[in-house]
Amino acid sequence: MTYCVAMKLQDGLVFVADSRTNAGVDNIATFRKLHLFRIPGERLIAIQSAGNLATSQAVVSLLRQRLDSERDNLHGVPTLYDAARLLGQTLREVLQRDAEDAPQGHGLDLSCSFLLGGQIRGAAPELFNLYPHGNFISATEDTPYFQIGESKYGKPILDRALTFATPLEEALRCALLSYDATIRSNLSVGLPLDLVVYPRDRLAQVSSHRIDEHDPYFQALRKGWGEGLRDLLAALPAAPADYWR
Amino acid sequence: MTYCVAMKLQDGLVFVADSRTNAGVDNIATFRKLHLFRIPGERLIAIQSAGNLATSQAVVSLLRQRLDSERDNLHGVPTLYDAARLLGQTLREVLQRDAEDAPQGHGLDLSCSFLLGGQIRGAAPELFNLYPHGNFISATEDTPYFQIGESKYGKPILDRALTFATPLEEALRCALLSYDATIRSNLSVGLPLDLVVYPRDRLAQVSSHRIDEHDPYFQALRKGWGEGLRDLLAALPAAPADYWR
């Protein structure tokens, strides 16, 4: 499994991805699921993936291989909408190729989902959620975040605390707490986490940051949140006695 | 969908069930999913169900119809283990009958899951989780709660805050906050909630309590929790600046 979240907010974009992949609980490995395509000063495109790792790696590899080719590529497309279309087309191409190479299918689920977001100079930041068929939807002020993969454990904190107006730093904290909930409840999502916080219109060189199990900030955040939740629970009013008559 | 949670703690048992059933988002109804079998002073057995409503209603109806019969019944079985076996057998009987009556199946999923807990005089409280095949497991000090149905949204708060030693009243609060998270994030789980808090060795008449949307305590709990979470999030330390270099 995998858990990826991305946010399109007033002040910019936030992307966080875990790095655990598993084929059964006895076959766990670490793979990066957050991929950056950058031309400093001109564009930043971040892609996150969930689902079949062979498919998502093939898609990202093809997108990277073709950066210097004549055909449409992520360094050349004029808009992020076109970048999302290119990602969808590349996904369909990989699935089609695999279906032709192994028509019997072996009952494997080769599907995967992607989030794609970023900014190209002269246009606003954008964020898209690509479904396994390669079609996609765009984040809006009403729905400023998308999740792919194991999304349920970490959704309540986002639904409670995140709005389009949430400052980037607080949104990042909210995303990290969403991961904390997910990591506690599901073994198939795990550290390290890769993250990118992108302030709107920055367009300069942007790097991803990796959080591992020794990261002092993430440790302090998890501890403060866990203790705070238990204190808050203890401070809430007791249920009336007629609740258990 | 449905969400049911049950806890076996040092001080007794807690059962909470929502009451929403749906066959598609355009076909929503309210049905009780928490069923009590009681002989005041002698036994309390609570059964919660998730899954196909026709199957779970048939199982509970048969168990109730047979209370006065010569055959094994929930008012007569000597232990809660036997009660769980009887529930599992009745589930298999209903599934078998439906398979014979409609062998073509129509592709319907008729399966369901149950939680069964309670106490019989002279023995300790027990809690069992019955799988769709009628087999079951028992709650322990290490794993003092079970969930069936739409369990993921509400699991993080239980994993954080609940232990075998948690007092009943705090455990109930924890369960209600688990519902709050689930109801916010998933339309298919909804009010009213039915709950039973059972203090160990009580065995007197025990009633269930119903929480509807106007319940002042549940409203205050949700409000206090939501505001407390947002305050807590805002008070946590900000991420270091090198997180978005």
Side-chain angles (χ1 to χ4, degrees):
Chain A
M1 209 66 186
T2 285
Y3 174 34
C4 294
V5 64
M7 304 166 173
K8 186 182 94 170
L9 307 170
Q10 197 167 278
D11 297 344
L13 302 161
V14 176
F15 305 89
V16 189
D18 86 316
S19 59
R20 183 159 292 175
T21 65
N22 70 300
V25 290
D26 55 351
N27 189 354
I28 285 180
T30 299
F31 283 94
R32 176 175 280 268
K33 301 166 197 168
L34 173 57
H35 307 275
L36 295 181
F37 294 81
R38 290 168 283 199
I39 303 178
E42 203 275 324
R43 70 180 58 198
L44 167 80
I45 299 175
I47 294 178
Q48 293 156 291
S49 57
N52 186 284
L53 184 65
T55 303
S56 63
Q57 280 197 345
V59 169
V60 173
S61 297
L62 283 178
L63 288 170
R64 241 182 240 295
Q65 270 182 33
R66 292 170 180 171
L67 283 179
D68 298 320
S69 73
E70 291 299 307
R71 56 197 295 177
D72 277 352
N73 69 65
L74 287 180
H75 282 179
V77 287
T79 68
L80 280 164
Y81 178 87
D82 293 319
R85 281 205 59 204
L86 181 61
L87 173 58
Q89 284 161 8
T90 312
L91 170 60
R92 291 191 195 106
E93 177 188 337
V94 169
L95 292 173
Q96 178 75 29
R97 183 193 73 184
D98 286 353
E100 283 165 10
D101 289 357
Q104 67 281 28
H106 304 296
L108 287 175
D109 180 5
L110 298 176
S111 72
C112 59
S113 314
F114 292 94
L115 302 178
L116 180 148
Q119 186 173 19
I120 294 178
R121 193 174 55 214
E126 293 275 11
L127 174 63
F128 299 97
N129 183 355
L130 278 91
Y131 299 118
H133 288 288
N135 53 342
F136 54 88
I137 58 173
S138 164
T140 63
E141 294 194 21
D142 291 328
T143 302
Y145 75 90
F146 290 133
Q147 303 169 292
I148 53 175
E150 180 53 279
S151 59
K152 291 188 178 184
Y153 301 109
K155 191 167 188 289
I157 178 68
L158 301 175
D159 285 340
R160 269 180 214 283
L162 195 77
T163 70
F164 185 68
T166 304
L168 283 188
E169 192 284 318
E170 189 172 324
L172 172 61
R173 248 182 292 164
C174 193
L176 294 179
L177 297 173
S178 173
Y179 273 88
D180 180 42
T182 309
I183 288 169
R184 274 171 191 277
S185 291
N186 189 326
L187 270 186
S188 73
V189 175
L191 299 173
L193 306 180
D194 292 306
L195 67 91
V196 168
V197 181
Y198 173 74
R200 185 188 173 103
D201 299 332
R202 183 162 178 178
L203 283 173
Q205 178 70 38
V206 171
S207 302
S208 67
H209 181 83
R210 177 160 275 202
I211 291 180
D212 63 20
E213 59 197 305
H214 307 296
D215 187 282
Y217 173 67
F218 191 51
Q219 284 180 347
L221 194 70
R222 299 181 83 172
K223 185 159 177 287
W225 183 245
E227 290 172 358
L229 285 184
R230 281 187 292 273
D231 291 348
L232 178 58
L233 179 64
L236 287 172
D242 67 348
Y243 269 45
W244 58 86
R245 251 189 221 130
Chain B
M1 209 66 187
T2 286
Y3 175 35
C4 294
V5 64
M7 304 166 173
K8 186 182 95 168
L9 307 170
Q10 196 167 277
D11 298 343
L13 302 161
V14 176
F15 305 90
V16 189
D18 86 316
S19 58
R20 182 160 292 174
T21 65
N22 69 301
V25 290
D26 55 351
N27 188 355
I28 285 180
T30 298
F31 283 94
R32 175 176 282 269
K33 301 165 198 169
L34 173 56
H35 307 276
L36 296 180
F37 294 81
R38 290 168 285 198
I39 303 178
E42 203 276 323
R43 71 180 56 198
L44 167 80
I45 299 175
I47 294 177
Q48 292 156 292
S49 57
N52 186 284
L53 184 65
T55 303
S56 62
Q57 279 197 345
V59 169
V60 173
S61 297
L62 284 178
L63 289 168
R64 239 181 241 295
Q65 270 182 36
R66 291 169 181 171
L67 283 180
D68 299 320
S69 73
E70 290 299 308
R71 56 195 296 176
D72 277 352
N73 68 66
L74 287 180
H75 282 179
V77 287
T79 68
L80 277 165
Y81 178 86
D82 294 317
R85 282 206 58 204
L86 181 61
L87 173 58
Q89 284 160 8
T90 312
L91 170 60
R92 290 192 195 105
E93 176 189 337
V94 168
L95 292 173
Q96 178 75 29
R97 182 194 73 183
D98 286 353
E100 283 165 9
D101 289 357
Q104 66 282 31
H106 303 297
L108 288 176
D109 180 7
L110 298 176
S111 72
C112 58
S113 314
F114 292 94
L115 302 177
L116 180 148
Q119 186 173 20
I120 294 178
R121 193 174 55 215
E126 294 275 11
L127 173 63
F128 299 97
N129 183 355
L130 279 90
Y131 299 118
H133 288 287
N135 53 342
F136 53 87
I137 57 172
S138 165
T140 64
E141 293 195 20
D142 290 329
T143 302
Y145 75 89
F146 290 133
Q147 301 170 292
I148 53 176
E150 180 53 277
S151 60
K152 291 188 178 184
Y153 301 108
K155 190 166 187 291
I157 178 68
L158 301 175
D159 285 340
R160 269 179 213 283
L162 195 76
T163 69
F164 185 67
T166 304
L168 284 188
E169 192 283 320
E170 189 172 324
L172 172 62
R173 248 183 293 162
C174 192
L176 294 179
L177 297 174
S178 172
Y179 273 86
D180 180 42
T182 308
I183 288 169
R184 273 171 192 277
S185 290
N186 188 326
L187 270 186
S188 74
V189 175
L191 299 173
L193 306 180
D194 293 305
L195 67 91
V196 168
V197 181
Y198 173 74
R200 183 187 174 103
D201 299 331
R202 182 162 180 181
L203 285 173
Q205 179 70 38
V206 171
S207 302
S208 66
H209 180 84
R210 177 160 275 202
I211 291 179
D212 63 19
E213 60 197 305
H214 307 297
D215 186 282
Y217 173 67
F218 191 51
Q219 283 180 348
L221 194 70
R222 299 181 83 172
K223 186 161 175 287
W225 182 246
E227 289 172 359
L229 285 183
R230 280 186 293 272
D231 291 349
L232 178 59
L233 179 64
L236 286 172
D242 67 348
Y243 269 46
W244 57 86
R245 247 181 228 136

